[in-house]
Amino acid sequence: MRLYLLRHGEAEAPRTNDARRALTEHGRAEVRASAALLAGIPLQAILASPYLRTQQTAELAATQLGYRGVIESADWLTPDSDLRDALERLNERSEDELLLVTHQPLVGALGGLLVHGHRQQPLPMGTASLAILGGDLALAGGMQLVSLNHPQV
């Protein structure tokens, strides 16, 4: 299994409704740079938090990659989602090539748990950072960090 963890690109400044924050132009450029690293990957599914900035990130990545499937909205990928729930939901999936588009602190904590087996060492995920994990099962400590990329735009 290959798991691709993509944090949303730079978004507008915080406001009353965090879920409605859109990507900035810089954030769009960041996403395009990270998505380019996935060229040629036969993604079987894209799951994204329902927040606007992650939906926009997923759409940009899908367009750039020529992904023709549906982008699934997953409420378990929001910034403060329960890590155990996210891990359980992830293990219900059967895809071999899966892209998750989400937020900090969840994305760093999830990546760290999958790679290190504990929560004390989250992956450092800046805006539009892309972590590629590989392994047989998405279990705590059961995956290896293949690469961690931070867009340079």
Side-chain angles (χ1 to χ4, degrees), residues 1-14:
M1 165 187 222
R2 287 279 173 150
L3 182 62
Y4 307 90
L5 302 176
L6 178 61
R7 183 179 173 201
H8 63 79
E10 179 186 86
E12 298 171 334

Side-chain angles (χ1 to χ4, degrees), residues 65-137:
L65 297 171
Y67 176 78
R68 304 223 187 279
V70 173
I71 297 170
E72 297 178 47
S73 185
D75 61 0
W76 52 273
L77 290 175
T78 59
D80 298 313
S81 289
D82 182 76
L83 193 54
R84 289 174 302 226
D85 183 44
L87 198 56
E88 287 175 18
R89 301 281 188 110
L90 186 55
N91 277 300
E92 294 170 0
R93 307 297 301 199
S94 62
E95 295 87 2
D96 291 324
E97 304 282 342
L98 178 62
L99 173 62
L100 302 182
V101 183
T102 186
H103 313 258
Q104 279 289 44
L106 180 71
V107 68
L110 180 61
L113 180 62
L114 289 167
V115 172
H116 304 296
H118 55 75
R119 299 176 186 202
Q120 289 75 30
Q121 198 174 354
L123 297 182
M125 301 288 287
T127 55
S129 288
L130 174 68
I132 302 174
L133 308 180
D136 292 331
L137 295 170

Side-chain angles (χ1 to χ4, degrees), residues 15-86:
R15 53 181 165 170
T16 306
N17 187 346
D18 184 48
R20 299 298 309 155
R21 292 173 49 211
L23 292 178
T24 62
E25 284 306 314
H26 180 75
R28 291 176 180 279
E30 289 178 319
V31 171
R32 286 190 289 273
S34 287
L37 300 172
L38 297 174
I41 302 293
L43 291 176
Q44 295 170 311
I46 298 176
L47 281 70
S49 156
Y51 286 28
L52 178 59
R53 60 192 178 272
T54 48
Q55 290 291 313
Q56 290 174 326
T57 296
E59 290 168 11
L60 277 170
T63 298
Q64 185 163 337
L65 297 171
Y67 176 78
R68 304 223 187 279
V70 173
I71 297 170
E72 297 178 47
S73 185
D75 61 0
W76 52 273
L77 290 175
T78 59
D80 298 313
S81 289
D82 182 76
L83 193 54
R84 289 174 302 226
D85 183 44

